[in-house]
Coordinates of all heavy atoms in Angstrom, one line a residue:
M8 N 123.0 -24.6 5.9 CA 124.5 -24.5 5.6 C 124.7 -24.9 4.2 O 124.2 -26.0 3.7 CB 125.2 -25.4 6.6 CG 126.7 -25.5 6.4 SD 127.7 -26.6 7.4 CE 127.2 -26.2 9.1
S9 N 125.5 -24.2 3.5 CA 125.9 -24.5 2.1 C 126.8 -25.7 2.1 O 127.5 -26.0 3.1 CB 126.5 -23.3 1.4 OG 127.8 -23.1 1.9
A10 N 127.0 -26.3 0.9 CA 127.9 -27.4 0.8 C 129.3 -26.9 1.0 O 130.1 -27.7 1.6 CB 127.7 -28.0 -0.6
R11 N 129.6 -25.7 0.6 CA 131.0 -25.2 0.8 C 131.3 -25.0 2.3 O 132.3 -25.3 2.7 CB 131.2 -23.9 0.0 CG 132.6 -23.3 0.1 CD 133.6 -24.3 -0.3 NE 134.9 -23.9 0.0 CZ 135.9 -23.8 -0.9 NH1 135.6 -24.0 -2.1 NH2 137.1 -23.4 -0.5
E12 N 130.3 -24.5 3.0 CA 130.4 -24.3 4.4 C 130.6 -25.7 5.1 O 131.4 -25.8 6.0 CB 129.2 -23.6 5.0 CG 129.2 -22.1 4.6 CD 127.9 -21.4 4.9 OE1 126.8 -22.1 4.9 OE2 127.9 -20.2 5.1
A13 N 129.9 -26.7 4.7 CA 130.0 -28.0 5.3 C 131.4 -28.6 5.0 O 132.0 -29.2 5.9 CB 129.0 -28.9 4.7
L14 N 131.9 -28.3 3.8 CA 133.3 -28.8 3.5 C 134.3 -28.0 4.3 O 135.2 -28.6 4.9 CB 133.6 -28.6 2.0 CG 135.0 -28.9 1.5 CD1 135.4 -30.3 1.8 CD2 135.2 -28.5 0.1
D15 N 134.2 -26.7 4.4 CA 135.1 -25.9 5.3 C 135.1 -26.4 6.7 O 136.1 -26.6 7.3 CB 134.7 -24.5 5.2 CG 135.0 -23.8 3.9 OD1 135.8 -24.4 3.1 OD2 134.5 -22.7 3.6
R16 N 133.9 -26.7 7.2 CA 133.8 -27.2 8.6 C 134.5 -28.6 8.7 O 135.2 -28.8 9.7 CB 132.3 -27.4 9.0 CG 132.0 -28.1 10.3 CD 132.5 -27.6 11.6 NE 132.7 -26.2 11.7 CZ 133.7 -25.6 12.5 NH1 134.5 -26.4 13.2 NH2 133.8 -24.3 12.5
A17 N 134.3 -29.5 7.8 CA 134.9 -30.8 7.8 C 136.5 -30.7 7.7 O 137.2 -31.4 8.4 CB 134.4 -31.7 6.7
L18 N 136.9 -29.7 6.9 CA 138.4 -29.5 6.8 C 138.9 -28.9 8.1 O 140.0 -29.3 8.5 CB 138.7 -28.6 5.6 CG 138.5 -29.2 4.2 CD1 138.5 -28.2 3.2 CD2 139.5 -30.3 4.0
L19 N 138.2 -28.0 8.7 CA 138.6 -27.5 10.0 C 138.7 -28.5 11.1 O 139.6 -28.6 11.9 CB 137.7 -26.3 10.4 CG 137.9 -25.0 9.6 CD1 136.8 -24.0 10.0 CD2 139.3 -24.4 9.9
D20 N 137.7 -29.4 11.1 CA 137.7 -30.5 12.0 C 138.9 -31.4 11.8 O 139.5 -31.9 12.8 CB 136.4 -31.4 11.9 CG 135.2 -30.6 12.4 OD1 135.3 -29.6 13.1 OD2 134.1 -31.1 12.1
M21 N 139.3 -31.7 10.6 CA 140.5 -32.5 10.3 C 141.7 -31.8 10.8 O 142.6 -32.4 11.5 CB 140.6 -32.8 8.8 CG 139.7 -33.8 8.2 SD 140.1 -34.1 6.5 CE 141.6 -35.0 6.6
A22 N 141.8 -30.5 10.6 CA 143.0 -29.8 11.0 C 143.1 -29.8 12.5 O 144.2 -29.8 13.1 CB 142.9 -28.3 10.5
A23 N 142.0 -29.7 13.2 CA 142.0 -29.7 14.7 C 142.5 -31.0 15.2 O 143.1 -31.0 16.3 CB 140.6 -29.4 15.2
D24 N 142.3 -32.1 14.4 CA 142.9 -33.4 14.8 C 144.3 -33.6 14.3 O 144.8 -34.7 14.4 CB 142.0 -34.5 14.2 CG 140.6 -34.6 14.9 OD1 140.5 -34.1 16.0 OD2 139.7 -35.2 14.3
G25 N 144.9 -32.6 13.7 CA 146.2 -32.7 13.1 C 146.3 -33.4 11.8 O 147.4 -33.9 11.4
R26 N 145.2 -33.5 11.1 CA 145.2 -34.2 9.8 C 144.9 -33.2 8.7 O 144.3 -32.1 8.9 CB 144.1 -35.3 9.8 CG 144.3 -36.3 10.9 CD 143.2 -37.4 10.9 NE 141.9 -36.7 11.1 CZ 140.8 -37.0 10.5 NH1 140.8 -37.9 9.5 NH2 139.7 -36.4 10.7
R27 N 145.2 -33.6 7.5 CA 144.8 -32.8 6.3 C 144.6 -33.8 5.1 O 145.2 -34.8 5.1 CB 145.8 -31.7 6.0 CG 147.1 -32.3 5.4 CD 148.0 -31.1 4.9 NE 149.3 -31.2 5.6 CZ 150.1 -30.2 5.9 NH1 149.6 -29.0 5.6 NH2 151.2 -30.3 6.5
P28 N 143.7 -33.4 4.2 CA 143.5 -34.2 3.0 C 144.7 -34.1 2.1 O 145.6 -33.2 2.2 CB 142.3 -33.6 2.4 CG 142.3 -32.2 2.8 CD 142.9 -32.1 4.2
R29 N 144.9 -35.1 1.2 CA 146.0 -35.1 0.3 C 146.1 -33.8 -0.5 O 147.2 -33.4 -0.8 CB 145.9 -36.3 -0.7 CG 146.1 -37.7 0.0 CD 147.5 -37.9 0.5 NE 148.5 -38.0 -0.4 CZ 149.0 -39.1 -1.0 NH1 148.5 -40.2 -0.8 NH2 150.0 -39.0 -1.9
C30 N 145.0 -33.2 -0.9 CA 145.0 -32.0 -1.6 C 145.6 -30.8 -0.8 O 145.9 -29.8 -1.4 CB 143.6 -31.6 -2.1 SG 142.4 -31.4 -0.8
G31 N 145.8 -31.0 0.4 CA 146.4 -30.0 1.3 C 147.8 -30.2 1.6 O 148.4 -29.5 2.3
E32 N 148.4 -31.3 1.1 CA 149.8 -31.6 1.3 C 150.7 -30.7 0.5 O 150.5 -30.5 -0.7 CB 150.1 -33.1 0.9 CG 149.5 -34.1 1.8 CD 150.1 -34.0 3.2 OE1 151.2 -33.6 3.4 OE2 149.3 -34.4 4.2
P33 N 151.6 -30.0 1.1 CA 152.4 -29.0 0.4 C 153.1 -29.5 -0.9 O 153.2 -28.8 -1.9 CB 153.5 -28.6 1.4 CG 152.8 -28.8 2.7 CD 152.0 -30.1 2.5
A34 N 153.6 -30.8 -0.9 CA 154.3 -31.3 -2.0 C 153.4 -31.7 -3.2 O 153.9 -31.9 -4.3 CB 155.2 -32.5 -1.6
E35 N 152.1 -31.8 -2.9 CA 151.2 -32.3 -3.9 C 150.1 -31.4 -4.3 O 149.4 -31.6 -5.3 CB 150.6 -33.7 -3.4 CG 151.7 -34.7 -3.1 CD 151.1 -35.9 -2.4 OE1 150.0 -35.8 -1.9 OE2 151.9 -36.9 -2.3
H36 N 149.8 -30.4 -3.5 CA 148.5 -29.7 -3.7 C 148.3 -29.0 -5.0 O 147.2 -28.8 -5.5 CB 148.4 -28.6 -2.5 CG 149.2 -27.4 -2.7 ND1 150.5 -27.4 -2.3 CD2 148.9 -26.2 -3.2 CE1 151.0 -26.2 -2.6 NE2 150.0 -25.4 -3.1
L37 N 149.4 -28.7 -5.7 CA 149.3 -28.1 -7.0 C 148.7 -29.0 -8.1 O 148.2 -28.5 -9.2 CB 150.6 -27.4 -7.5 CG 151.0 -26.3 -6.6 CD1 152.4 -25.7 -7.1 CD2 150.0 -25.1 -6.6
W38 N 148.8 -30.3 -7.9 CA 148.3 -31.3 -8.9 C 146.8 -31.1 -9.1 O 146.3 -31.3 -10.2 CB 148.5 -32.7 -8.5 CG 150.0 -33.1 -8.4 CD1 151.0 -32.4 -9.1 CD2 150.6 -34.2 -7.8 NE1 152.2 -33.1 -8.8 CE2 152.0 -34.2 -8.0 CE3 150.0 -35.2 -7.0 CZ2 152.8 -35.1 -7.5 CZ3 150.9 -36.2 -6.5 CH2 152.3 -36.1 -6.8
W39 N 146.1 -30.7 -8.0 CA 144.6 -30.6 -8.1 C 144.2 -29.4 -9.1 O 143.1 -29.4 -9.6 CB 144.0 -30.4 -6.7 CG 143.8 -31.7 -6.1 CD1 142.6 -32.4 -6.0 CD2 144.7 -32.6 -5.4 NE1 142.8 -33.6 -5.3 CE2 144.1 -33.7 -5.0 CE3 146.1 -32.4 -5.2 CZ2 144.7 -34.7 -4.3 CZ3 146.8 -33.5 -4.5 CH2 146.1 -34.6 -4.1
T40 N 145.0 -28.4 -9.3 CA 144.7 -27.3 -10.1 C 145.7 -27.1 -11.3 O 145.8 -26.1 -11.9 CB 144.7 -26.0 -9.3 OG1 145.9 -25.8 -8.7 CG2 143.6 -26.0 -8.2
S41 N 146.3 -28.2 -11.6 CA 147.3 -28.2 -12.7 C 146.6 -28.0 -14.1 O 145.5 -28.5 -14.3 CB 148.1 -29.5 -12.7 OG 149.0 -29.5 -13.8
E42 N 147.3 -27.4 -15.0 CA 146.9 -27.3 -16.4 C 147.2 -28.6 -17.1 O 146.7 -28.8 -18.2 CB 147.6 -26.1 -17.1 CG 147.2 -24.8 -16.5 CD 145.7 -24.4 -16.9 OE1 145.2 -24.9 -17.9 OE2 145.1 -23.6 -16.1
K43 N 148.0 -29.5 -16.5 CA 148.4 -30.7 -17.1 C 147.5 -31.9 -16.7 O 147.3 -32.2 -15.5 CB 149.8 -31.1 -16.7 CG 150.9 -30.1 -17.1 CD 152.2 -30.4 -16.6 CE 153.3 -29.4 -17.0 NZ 154.6 -29.7 -16.4
A44 N 146.9 -32.5 -17.7 CA 145.9 -33.5 -17.5 C 146.5 -34.7 -16.7 O 145.8 -35.3 -15.8 CB 145.3 -34.0 -18.8
D45 N 147.7 -35.1 -16.9 CA 148.3 -36.2 -16.2 C 148.5 -35.9 -14.7 O 148.3 -36.8 -13.9 CB 149.7 -36.6 -16.8 CG 150.7 -35.6 -16.8 OD1 150.4 -34.4 -17.0 OD2 151.9 -35.9 -16.6
E46 N 148.8 -34.7 -14.4 CA 148.9 -34.3 -12.9 C 147.5 -34.3 -12.3 O 147.4 -34.7 -11.2 CB 149.6 -32.9 -12.8 CG 151.1 -33.0 -13.1 CD 151.8 -31.7 -12.9 OE1 151.1 -30.6 -12.7 OE2 153.0 -31.7 -13.0
R47 N 146.5 -33.8 -13.0 CA 145.2 -33.8 -12.5 C 144.7 -35.3 -12.3 O 144.0 -35.6 -11.3 CB 144.2 -33.0 -13.3 CG 144.5 -31.5 -13.3 CD 143.4 -30.7 -14.0 NE 142.8 -31.2 -15.2 CZ 143.4 -31.0 -16.4 NH1 144.5 -30.2 -16.5 NH2 142.8 -31.5 -17.5
A48 N 145.0 -36.1 -13.2 CA 144.6 -37.6 -13.1 C 145.3 -38.2 -11.9 O 144.6 -38.9 -11.1 CB 145.0 -38.3 -14.3
R49 N 146.5 -37.8 -11.6 CA 147.2 -38.3 -10.4 C 146.5 -37.8 -9.2 O 146.3 -38.6 -8.2 CB 148.7 -37.9 -10.4 CG 149.5 -38.5 -9.3 CD 150.9 -38.0 -9.3 NE 151.5 -38.2 -10.6 CZ 152.4 -37.3 -11.2 NH1 152.8 -36.3 -10.5 NH2 152.9 -37.6 -12.4
A50 N 146.1 -36.6 -9.2 CA 145.4 -36.0 -8.0 C 144.1 -36.6 -7.8 O 143.7 -37.0 -6.7 CB 145.2 -34.5 -8.3
A51 N 143.4 -36.9 -8.9 CA 142.0 -37.5 -8.8 C 142.2 -38.9 -8.1 O 141.3 -39.2 -7.3 CB 141.4 -37.6 -10.1
G52 N 143.2 -39.6 -8.5 CA 143.4 -40.9 -7.8 C 143.7 -40.8 -6.4 O 143.3 -41.7 -5.6
L53 N 144.3 -39.8 -5.9 CA 144.7 -39.6 -4.5 C 143.5 -39.2 -3.7 O 143.6 -39.3 -2.4 CB 145.8 -38.5 -4.4 CG 147.2 -38.9 -5.0 CD1 148.1 -37.8 -4.9 CD2 147.7 -40.1 -4.3
C54 N 142.4 -38.9 -4.3 CA 141.2 -38.5 -3.5 C 140.5 -39.7 -2.9 O 139.8 -39.6 -1.9 CB 140.2 -37.8 -4.4 SG 140.7 -36.2 -5.0
A55 N 140.8 -40.9 -3.5 CA 140.2 -42.2 -3.0 C 140.4 -42.3 -1.5 O 141.5 -42.2 -1.0 CB 140.7 -43.4 -3.7
G56 N 139.3 -42.5 -0.7 CA 139.4 -42.8 0.7 C 139.5 -41.5 1.5 O 139.7 -41.5 2.8
C57 N 139.4 -40.3 0.9 CA 139.5 -39.1 1.6 C 138.3 -39.0 2.6 O 137.1 -39.2 2.2 CB 139.5 -37.9 0.7 SG 139.6 -36.3 1.5
P58 N 138.5 -38.6 3.8 CA 137.4 -38.5 4.8 C 136.4 -37.3 4.5 O 135.3 -37.3 5.1 CB 138.1 -38.2 6.1 CG 139.5 -37.8 5.8 CD 139.8 -38.3 4.4
V59 N 136.8 -36.4 3.6 CA 135.8 -35.3 3.3 C 135.4 -35.4 1.8 O 134.9 -34.5 1.2 CB 136.4 -33.9 3.6 CG1 136.7 -33.8 5.0 CG2 137.7 -33.7 2.7
L60 N 135.5 -36.6 1.2 CA 135.1 -36.8 -0.2 C 133.7 -36.4 -0.5 O 133.4 -35.7 -1.5 CB 135.3 -38.3 -0.6 CG 135.3 -38.6 -2.0 CD1 136.5 -37.9 -2.8 CD2 135.4 -40.1 -2.3
A61 N 132.7 -36.8 0.3 CA 131.3 -36.5 0.1 C 131.1 -35.0 0.2 O 130.4 -34.5 -0.7 CB 130.4 -37.2 1.1
Q62 N 131.6 -34.4 1.2 CA 131.4 -32.9 1.3 C 132.1 -32.2 0.1 O 131.6 -31.2 -0.4 CB 132.0 -32.4 2.6 CG 131.3 -32.9 3.8 CD 132.0 -34.2 4.4 OE1 132.6 -34.9 3.7 NE2 131.9 -34.3 5.7
C63 N 133.2 -32.7 -0.3 CA 134.0 -32.1 -1.5 C 133.1 -32.2 -2.7 O 133.0 -31.3 -3.5 CB 135.3 -32.8 -1.6 SG 136.4 -32.1 -2.9
A64 N 132.5 -33.4 -3.0 CA 131.7 -33.6 -4.1 C 130.5 -32.7 -4.1 O 130.1 -32.1 -5.2 CB 131.3 -35.1 -4.2
Q65 N 129.9 -32.5 -3.0 CA 128.7 -31.6 -2.9 C 129.1 -30.2 -3.2 O 128.4 -29.4 -3.9 CB 128.0 -31.8 -1.6 CG 127.4 -33.1 -1.4 CD 126.9 -33.4 0.0 OE1 127.3 -32.7 1.0 NE2 126.0 -34.4 0.2
A66 N 130.2 -29.8 -2.6 CA 130.7 -28.4 -2.8 C 131.1 -28.2 -4.3 O 130.7 -27.1 -4.9 CB 131.9 -28.1 -1.9
A67 N 131.7 -29.1 -4.9 CA 132.0 -29.0 -6.4 C 130.8 -28.9 -7.2 O 130.7 -28.0 -8.1 CB 132.8 -30.3 -6.8
E68 N 129.7 -29.6 -6.9 CA 128.5 -29.5 -7.6 C 127.8 -28.2 -7.4 O 127.4 -27.5 -8.4 CB 127.5 -30.6 -7.2 CG 126.2 -30.6 -8.0 CD 125.3 -31.8 -7.6 OE1 125.8 -32.9 -7.2 OE2 124.1 -31.6 -7.7
E69 N 127.8 -27.7 -6.2 CA 127.2 -26.4 -5.8 C 127.9 -25.3 -6.5 O 127.3 -24.3 -7.0 CB 127.2 -26.3 -4.3 CG 126.7 -25.0 -3.8 CD 126.7 -24.9 -2.3 OE1 125.9 -25.5 -1.6 OE2 127.7 -24.3 -1.8
E70 N 129.2 -25.4 -6.6 CA 130.0 -24.3 -7.2 C 130.4 -24.4 -8.6 O 131.1 -23.6 -9.2 CB 131.3 -24.1 -6.3 CG 131.0 -23.7 -4.9 CD 132.3 -23.5 -4.1 OE1 133.4 -23.5 -4.7 OE2 132.2 -23.2 -2.9
H71 N 129.9 -25.5 -9.3 CA 130.3 -25.7 -10.7 C 131.8 -25.6 -10.8 O 132.3 -24.9 -11.7 CB 129.6 -24.7 -11.6 CG 128.1 -24.7 -11.4 ND1 127.3 -25.7 -11.8 CD2 127.3 -23.8 -10.8 CE1 126.0 -25.4 -11.5 NE2 126.0 -24.2 -10.9
A72 N 132.5 -26.4 -10.0 CA 133.9 -26.4 -9.9 C 134.7 -26.7 -11.2 O 134.2 -27.5 -12.0 CB 134.4 -27.3 -8.8
L73 N 135.9 -26.2 -11.2 CA 136.9 -26.6 -12.2 C 138.0 -27.4 -11.5 O 138.0 -27.4 -10.3 CB 137.4 -25.4 -12.9 CG 136.5 -24.5 -13.8 CD1 137.1 -23.3 -14.3 CD2 135.9 -25.4 -14.9
F74 N 138.8 -28.0 -12.3 CA 139.9 -28.8 -11.8 C 139.5 -30.0 -11.1 O 138.4 -30.5 -11.4 CB 140.9 -27.9 -10.9 CG 141.4 -26.7 -11.7 CD1 141.0 -25.4 -11.4 CD2 142.4 -26.9 -12.7 CE1 141.4 -24.3 -12.2 CE2 142.9 -25.8 -13.4 CZ 142.4 -24.5 -13.1
V75 N 140.2 -30.5 -10.1 CA 139.9 -31.8 -9.5 C 139.2 -31.6 -8.1 O 139.8 -30.9 -7.3 CB 141.1 -32.7 -9.3 CG1 140.8 -34.0 -8.5 CG2 141.8 -33.0 -10.6
W76 N 138.0 -32.1 -8.0 CA 137.3 -32.1 -6.7 C 136.7 -33.5 -6.5 O 136.2 -34.1 -7.4 CB 136.1 -31.1 -6.8 CG 136.5 -29.7 -6.7 CD1 137.2 -29.0 -7.7 CD2 136.2 -28.8 -5.7 NE1 137.3 -27.6 -7.3 CE2 136.6 -27.5 -6.1 CE3 135.5 -28.9 -4.5 CZ2 136.5 -26.4 -5.3 CZ3 135.3 -27.8 -3.7 CH2 135.8 -26.5 -4.1
A77 N 136.9 -34.1 -5.4 CA 136.3 -35.3 -5.0 C 136.7 -36.5 -6.0 O 135.8 -37.3 -6.3 CB 134.8 -35.2 -4.8
G78 N 137.9 -36.4 -6.5 CA 138.3 -37.5 -7.4 C 137.8 -37.3 -8.8 O 138.0 -38.2 -9.6
V79 N 137.2 -36.2 -9.2 CA 136.7 -36.0 -10.5 C 137.4 -34.8 -11.1 O 137.4 -33.7 -10.5 CB 135.1 -35.7 -10.5 CG1 134.6 -35.4 -11.9 CG2 134.4 -36.9 -9.9
D80 N 137.9 -35.0 -12.3 CA 138.5 -33.9 -13.1 C 137.5 -33.1 -13.8 O 136.9 -33.7 -14.8 CB 139.6 -34.4 -14.0 CG 140.4 -33.3 -14.7 OD1 140.0 -32.1 -14.6 OD2 141.4 -33.7 -15.4
H81 N 137.2 -31.9 -13.4 CA 136.2 -31.1 -14.0 C 136.7 -30.2 -15.1 O 136.0 -29.3 -15.6 CB 135.5 -30.2 -13.0 CG 134.8 -31.0 -11.9 ND1 133.5 -31.5 -12.1 CD2 135.2 -31.4 -10.7 CE1 133.1 -32.1 -11.0 NE2 134.1 -32.1 -10.2
G82 N 138.0 -30.4 -15.5 CA 138.6 -29.6 -16.5 C 139.2 -28.3 -16.0 O 139.2 -28.1 -14.8
T83 N 139.7 -27.6 -17.0 CA 140.3 -26.3 -16.6 C 139.6 -25.1 -17.3 O 138.7 -25.3 -18.1 CB 141.8 -26.3 -17.1 OG1 141.8 -26.5 -18.5 CG2 142.6 -27.4 -16.4
R84 N 140.0 -23.9 -17.0 CA 139.4 -22.8 -17.6 C 139.8 -22.7 -19.0 O 140.9 -23.1 -19.4 CB 139.9 -21.5 -16.9 CG 139.5 -21.3 -15.5 CD 140.1 -20.0 -14.9 NE 139.9 -20.0 -13.5 CZ 140.7 -20.6 -12.6 NH1 141.8 -21.1 -13.0 NH2 140.4 -20.5 -11.3
P85 N 138.9 -22.3 -19.9 CA 139.3 -22.1 -21.3 C 140.4 -21.1 -21.4 O 140.4 -20.1 -20.7 CB 138.0 -21.6 -22.0 CG 136.9 -21.9 -21.0 CD 137.5 -21.9 -19.6
R86 N 141.3 -21.5 -22.3 CA 142.5 -20.5 -22.5 C 142.0 -19.3 -23.2 O 141.2 -19.4 -24.2 CB 143.6 -21.2 -23.2 CG 144.2 -22.3 -22.4 CD 145.5 -22.8 -23.1 NE 146.1 -23.9 -22.4 CZ 147.1 -23.8 -21.5 NH1 147.6 -22.6 -21.3 NH2 147.5 -24.8 -20.9
M87 N 142.6 -18.2 -22.9 CA 142.3 -17.0 -23.6 C 143.1 -17.0 -24.9 O 144.3 -17.4 -24.9 CB 142.7 -15.7 -22.7 CG 142.0 -15.6 -21.4 SD 140.3 -15.1 -21.6 CE 140.6 -13.4 -22.2
K88 N 142.5 -16.5 -26.0 CA 143.2 -16.4 -27.2 C 144.1 -15.2 -27.2 O 143.7 -14.1 -26.7 CB 142.3 -16.3 -28.4 CG 141.5 -17.5 -28.7 CD 140.6 -17.3 -29.9 CE 139.9 -18.6 -30.2 NZ 139.0 -18.5 -31.3
S89 N 145.3 -15.3 -27.6 CA 146.2 -14.2 -27.7 C 145.8 -13.2 -28.8 O 145.1 -13.6 -29.7 CB 147.7 -14.6 -27.9 OG 147.8 -15.0 -29.2
K90 N 146.2 -12.0 -28.6 CA 145.9 -11.0 -29.7 C 146.5 -11.4 -31.0 O 145.9 -11.1 -32.0 CB 146.4 -9.6 -29.2 CG 145.6 -9.0 -28.1 CD 146.1 -7.7 -27.7 CE 145.3 -7.2 -26.5 NZ 145.8 -5.9 -26.0
E91 N 147.6 -12.0 -31.0 CA 148.3 -12.4 -32.2 C 147.4 -13.4 -33.0 O 147.4 -13.4 -34.2 CB 149.7 -13.0 -31.9 CG 150.7 -12.0 -31.4 CD 151.0 -10.9 -32.3 OE1 151.1 -11.2 -33.5 OE2 151.1 -9.8 -31.9
S92 N 146.8 -14.4 -32.3 CA 146.0 -15.4 -32.9 C 144.7 -15.0 -33.4 O 144.0 -15.6 -34.2 CB 145.9 -16.6 -32.0 OG 145.0 -16.3 -30.9
T93 N 144.3 -13.8 -33.0 CA 143.0 -13.3 -33.5 C 143.1 -12.3 -34.6 O 142.1 -11.7 -35.1 CB 142.2 -12.6 -32.3 OG1 143.0 -11.5 -31.8 CG2 141.9 -13.6 -31.2
R94 N 144.3 -12.0 -35.1 CA 144.5 -11.1 -36.2 C 144.4 -11.7 -37.5 O 144.5 -12.8 -37.8 CB 145.9 -10.4 -36.0 CG 145.9 -9.5 -34.9 CD 147.2 -8.8 -34.8 NE 147.2 -8.0 -33.6 CZ 148.3 -7.3 -33.2 NH1 149.4 -7.4 -33.8 NH2 148.2 -6.6 -32.1

């Protein structure tokens, strides 16, 4: 089983128990993929104590993740240069 499959299984088990990780909370979930470093830092702090932290870290490593996974900010996608700035 891949690390991503293990994470998916752990998340499904949480959902079956009526629980979800902080990254799955509707009011907060966008912080994990924000372009703003301060929002990603807030998200990373909220990962502490997550019951799927280990599986999340393994999946992030396997997938060379961007944004926040397992309390670690892996950065964002490089911004595309506009056509105006390349002239």
Side-chain angles (χ1 to χ4, degrees):
M8 176 183 308
S9 73
R11 182 54 189 241
E12 290 169 330
L14 175 59
D15 290 345
R16 169 60 31 211
L18 290 169
L19 288 170
D20 290 346
M21 283 184 72
D24 290 339
R26 301 177 301 136
R27 69 172 126 213
R29 292 293 297 266
C30 59
E32 291 294 332
E35 302 166 348
H36 77 277
L37 293 177
W38 294 342
W39 276 259
T40 58
S41 176
E42 294 290 332
K43 298 177 182 175
D45 62 322
E46 289 181 351
R47 292 191 317 276
R49 186 179 311 142
L53 293 174
C54 292
C57 181
V59 297
L60 192 65
Q62 295 94 331
C63 184
Q65 291 170 345
E68 184 176 329
E69 178 180 279
E70 296 186 6
H71 307 287
L73 294 175
F74 301 106
V75 176
W76 286 68
V79 177
D80 185 352
H81 297 275
T83 59
R84 291 178 193 91
R86 293 190 183 264
M87 298 287 291
K88 291 184 179 180
S89 72
K90 289 181 183 179
E91 293 296 319
S92 66
T93 58
R94 289 183 184 173

